[in-house]
Amino acid sequence: MSSDPDKMMSKADKMTKLTLTRWSADWRGATELYEQAANGFRASNKYEKAKVALEKASKGQEMQASPWDAAKHMESAAALAQKLSIWNEVVDFYRKASELYVECGRAQPASDALGKAARALEDVKPDDAIQLYTDACEILEEDGRDQMAFDLYRACANVYIKLEKFTDAATFFLRLGVAADKCDATNSQCKAYLSAIILYLYAHDLQQAEKCYNDCSQIDAFLKSDQSRSASRLLTAYNEGDIEEIKKVASSSTVSNLDHMIIKLARKLPTGDVTAIQMNTNDDLDEDDLT
Amino acid sequence: MPVIDIIFRVDEICKKYDKYDVDKHREIGTSGDDAFSRLFTSIDSDIEAVLRKAEMASTEKNRAAAVAMNAEVRRTKARLAEDVVKLQKLAVKKIKGLTREERESRCDLVIALADRLQAVPDGNEHGAKQANNEWGGASAPNKNIKFDMSEEDMDDGFFQQTEESSQFRQEYEMRKKKQDEGLDVISEGLDALKNLARDMNEELDKQVPLMEEMETKVDGATSDLKNTNVRLKKQLVQMRSSRNFCIDIVLLCVILGIVSYIYNALN
């Protein structure tokens, strides 16, 4: 019961090392010591050592066949690593924690762990963050809890938007739509489709936007919704080059109910080329007519 | 009884029984123009009755009753007009013992009667005046509209119409615009409410399975706790009873010790 965490650590290490006098490691005692040491380090703000202690405590719990406690310790270790900005360790720890949660059969905490990791990495390593978000969504979908995946999809799409990869973001919104369809969340589904269409328009890709609108109109729920009406108004306004109408739709209440990133993009919408698009399509028609 | 009284009483009685005086009637009857004067007197009395009714109608407060009375006055006037026509025919007839001047005077009498009849107010002029004020003369009775004159009338009256009704129209447009603005605001609010409500709905749907899971877990935990409590209680009861037993034994031993000490002391 020494109060010095270092001493506890060394004692616990000795307990786990197999020597001639010790044939089997005493994980229980060691784990307890590790946990106490970690608390002591945290209290004295020695985060590096606390992290190490938590890692070892988690290993101990795993050896004792209690994956839940192990996962919890791993998460705490990952949080400390985040504070210390050791990013690859953050990823590793959270992934390990998530695996342990899956071992317990608890999908929600598993995806939560990956979500936390992704959020930590959003600014620093966005690609890894996206990978983490995707994995988290997969875990939830496997478990049949698609509704919880909505937030993750939205966060992932936001990361893509920050990276200005609009088509990828739109793809994620479409995946959101699929997930929403599975759980009959029609409102989220329609909002997701409208967001995708707006993203395509923001990327100047009118054909893709129209294709997307046509595809989504196959779905009854979207066809009858306010969002599809706003989408069709937006597309006709684009086709006619009517900037006023675009602005009006972008500030309507339907659009203002989407994610705030999408609202920002929608407000900036006629991204310059509207009349050019219109003239192009007109020229095409004229050529066809003449020939 | 004074003579004057007798004379008055006789007069009264004569007046009362005048209708039974055949001679007097025959005297009146043989004047020759019985049909004419009879009709004349009857039409006269009818006109008096109509006049009285018209007066009553004009002073009537209840508009529905006034209208009904006016309608009746008009009906009576129409009937009497027919009678006046008949009277006129009678007046022109040549009757024995009648001079030419008398016949002409009869025609004049008939015309005077007809004028009196027309002059009876029957509510039409009043209504027409009101209509004129509102619509500037455009709705005068049809037979008064002559095309040439009405154009001039229309010009003066027309101007008045545009001033008043254009104001009215402006006010109507303004109110309609205000109503439209208000309705727009309401519709925007309703849109926001609808979106909020839908999102809340979906969020609650998300929470439902979580709540069910939590319920099962909490149910399990409560039953575990109940079990533990029961077992703990059993344990405590058992321990206490054994403790009482031990205390009993200890006290017994103490008493035996005291007794043996006293026995030793006595011995």
Side-chain angles (χ1 to χ4, degrees):
Chain A
M1 292 285 254
S2 52
S3 50
D4 186 12
D6 286 312
K7 279 212 196 100
M8 281 196 268
M9 286 287 288
S10 45
K11 199 161 162 203
D13 282 335
K14 264 187 251 166
M15 284 214 271
T16 56
K17 260 202 245 326
L18 296 169
T19 56
L20 283 168
T21 49
R22 196 187 282 277
W23 291 87
S24 63
D26 178 18
W27 283 112
R28 187 183 302 228
T31 317
E32 268 178 42
L33 284 171
Y34 280 133
E35 283 169 9
Q36 283 174 16
N39 286 339
F41 281 131
R42 235 200 298 233
S44 49
N45 292 342
K46 292 194 190 136
Y47 294 125
E48 176 68 49
K49 296 204 179 153
K51 182 171 64 76
V52 170
L54 280 170
E55 246 186 280
K56 298 201 178 149
S58 159
K59 181 105 193 298
Q61 293 284 12
E62 215 183 314
M63 289 297 164
Q64 286 179 306
S66 51
W68 178 261
D69 295 312
K72 276 251 170 282
H73 287 316
M74 261 303 164
E75 265 195 88
S76 327
L80 286 172
Q82 188 180 338
K83 226 185 271 202
L84 294 169
S85 311
I86 310 174
W87 302 116
N88 51 352
E89 280 197 359
V90 168
V91 175
D92 289 332
F93 289 164
Y94 271 125
R95 271 199 194 277
K96 190 93 202 296
S98 159
E99 278 163 22
L100 288 164
Y101 280 127
V102 167
E103 236 182 83
C104 294
R106 310 281 295 274
Q108 183 68 44
S111 87
D112 281 344
L114 290 178
K116 276 187 228 170
R119 223 162 291 136
L121 291 176
E122 255 179 21
D123 296 321
V124 188
K125 283 194 184 176
D127 300 313
D128 287 344
I130 288 167
Q131 185 60 40
L132 286 163
Y133 274 129
T134 336
D135 293 337
C137 296
E138 271 166 26
I139 293 178
L140 283 174
E141 281 177 359
E142 267 168 30
D143 205 41
R145 295 158 153 271
D146 295 274
Q147 280 160 334
M148 304 297 157
F150 291 170
D151 293 322
L152 291 167
Y153 278 127
R154 271 201 282 263
C156 188
N158 277 340
V159 171
Y160 268 129
I161 290 175
K162 265 192 251 182
L163 294 175
E164 307 221 339
K165 292 190 186 154
F166 299 118
T167 36
D168 293 322
T171 325
F172 263 93
F173 273 117
L174 292 173
R175 278 176 72 175
L176 213 187
V178 168
D181 195 39
K182 251 189 267 171
C183 26
D184 287 330
T186 44
N187 200 30
S188 297
Q189 191 183 12
C190 301
K191 288 203 305 198
Y193 289 148
L194 182 59
S195 313
I197 293 174
I198 289 181
L199 280 168
Y200 282 132
L201 285 174
Y202 192 79
H204 311 299
D205 201 348
L206 186 60
Q207 280 82 12
Q208 190 66 26
E210 287 194 343
K211 208 159 72 80
C212 182
Y213 175 69
N214 288 335
D215 287 336
C216 299
S217 307
Q218 308 281 340
I219 301 171
D220 257 349
F222 181 67
L223 193 60
K224 289 188 229 164
S225 68
D226 288 336
Q227 281 85 6
S228 98
R229 236 178 291 138
S230 302
S232 76
R233 272 172 68 190
L234 205 54
L235 286 170
T236 37
Y238 249 89
N239 274 324
E240 293 167 6
D242 187 358
I243 298 188
E244 285 297 314
E245 180 68 19
I246 294 175
K247 293 256 180 236
K248 227 187 344 177
V249 174
S251 48
S252 74
S253 65
T254 321
V255 168
S256 309
N257 217 42
L258 305 170
D259 278 346
H260 66 275
M261 298 282 286
I262 307 286
I263 297 176
K264 267 192 258 178
L265 294 181
R267 296 276 156 87
K268 292 190 216 160
L269 243 191
T271 38
D273 303 40
V274 181
T275 45
I277 294 174
Q278 182 206 11
M279 279 184 349
N280 274 340
T281 49
N282 280 345
D283 286 340
D284 284 343
L285 282 172
D286 285 338
E287 283 181 21
D288 286 348
D289 285 343
L290 285 172
T291 53
Chain B
M1 203 196 243
V3 179
I4 281 285
D5 281 339
I6 297 175
I7 295 177
F8 277 139
R9 285 185 79 188
V10 168
D11 273 335
E12 286 289 311
I13 294 170
C14 283
K15 246 191 260 172
K16 198 170 168 193
Y17 291 106
D18 224 353
K19 56 186 178 200
Y20 296 117
D21 193 346
V22 182
D23 293 328
K24 198 171 176 186
H25 278 277
R26 223 187 289 139
E27 195 188 312
I28 295 174
T30 49
S31 51
D33 41 349
D34 47 346
F36 178 80
S37 42
R38 256 185 300 180
L39 198 55
F40 189 84
T41 38
S42 81
I43 289 180
D44 207 17
S45 53
D46 283 340
I47 289 181
E48 294 291 321
V50 162
L51 260 173
R52 269 200 300 273
K53 207 177 273 183
E55 268 170 53
M56 255 174 39
S58 63
T59 55
E60 178 69 46
K61 282 281 180 2
N62 187 353
R63 286 183 68 172
V67 164
M69 280 189 195
N70 280 332
E72 203 172 323
V73 160
R74 266 178 258 144
R75 251 206 323 272
T76 331
K77 268 173 72 172
R79 188 170 52 83
L80 288 174
E82 284 172 23
D83 289 337
V84 162
V85 168
K86 262 193 254 169
L87 192 66
Q88 212 160 21
K89 283 199 204 128
L90 274 176
V92 177
K93 237 200 257 176
K94 275 197 189 153
I95 296 180
K96 201 166 39 162
L98 203 60
T99 60
R100 203 145 162 237
E101 288 89 17
E102 272 182 23
R103 239 190 303 153
E104 277 169 21
S105 70
R106 270 192 205 170
C107 291
D108 289 334
L109 276 170
V110 170
I111 292 173
L113 204 63
D115 285 334
R116 266 181 69 199
L117 184 64
Q118 282 290 350
V120 172
D122 60 359
N124 255 345
E125 300 107 43
H126 194 55
K129 267 199 216 120
Q130 269 186 344
N132 281 349
N133 278 342
E134 279 181 16
W135 296 313
S139 69
N142 274 342
K143 36 188 179 24
N144 287 347
I145 291 180
K146 288 185 208 133
F147 227 99
D148 296 329
M149 273 178 58
S150 69
E151 267 186 34
E152 289 175 20
D153 281 346
M154 284 284 244
D155 283 336
D156 293 348
F158 200 68
F159 208 79
Q160 192 178 23
Q161 182 180 350
T162 31
E163 248 183 50
E164 280 181 11
S165 71
S166 70
Q167 245 181 16
F168 187 73
R169 192 179 289 270
Q170 258 175 19
E171 204 183 314
Y172 156 76
E173 298 280 340
M174 238 172 44
R175 287 203 187 160
K176 187 165 152 200
K177 208 165 42 161
K178 266 200 209 136
Q179 274 183 5
D180 282 341
E181 278 170 31
L183 284 171
D184 280 336
V185 169
I186 291 177
S187 99
E188 267 174 52
L190 279 175
D191 269 337
L193 268 178
K194 178 174 114 169
N195 282 323
L196 277 172
R198 283 222 177 142
D199 284 340
M200 272 166 61
N201 189 21
E202 290 202 343
E203 195 58 46
L204 286 171
D205 283 339
K206 255 194 243 178
Q207 307 281 350
V208 162
L210 294 176
M211 294 294 287
E212 282 170 6
E213 216 180 289
M214 206 162 71
E215 200 180 325
T216 31
K217 283 194 192 161
V218 167
D219 282 339
T222 8
S223 57
D224 279 345
L225 206 60
K226 268 195 204 147
N227 276 345
T228 319
N229 276 343
V230 163
R231 278 162 56 194
L232 195 63
K233 195 169 173 184
K234 255 193 266 176
Q235 286 275 22
L236 279 176
V237 164
Q238 199 185 21
M239 203 183 80
R240 261 220 287 153
S241 62
S242 61
R243 203 192 334 148
N244 287 338
F245 191 64
C246 292
I247 288 174
D248 291 344
I249 289 176
V250 160
L251 286 173
L252 264 172
C253 294
V254 162
I255 287 171
L256 273 173
I258 294 173
V259 162
S260 62
Y261 180 75
I262 293 170
Y263 185 74
N264 283 342
L266 282 175
N267 281 357

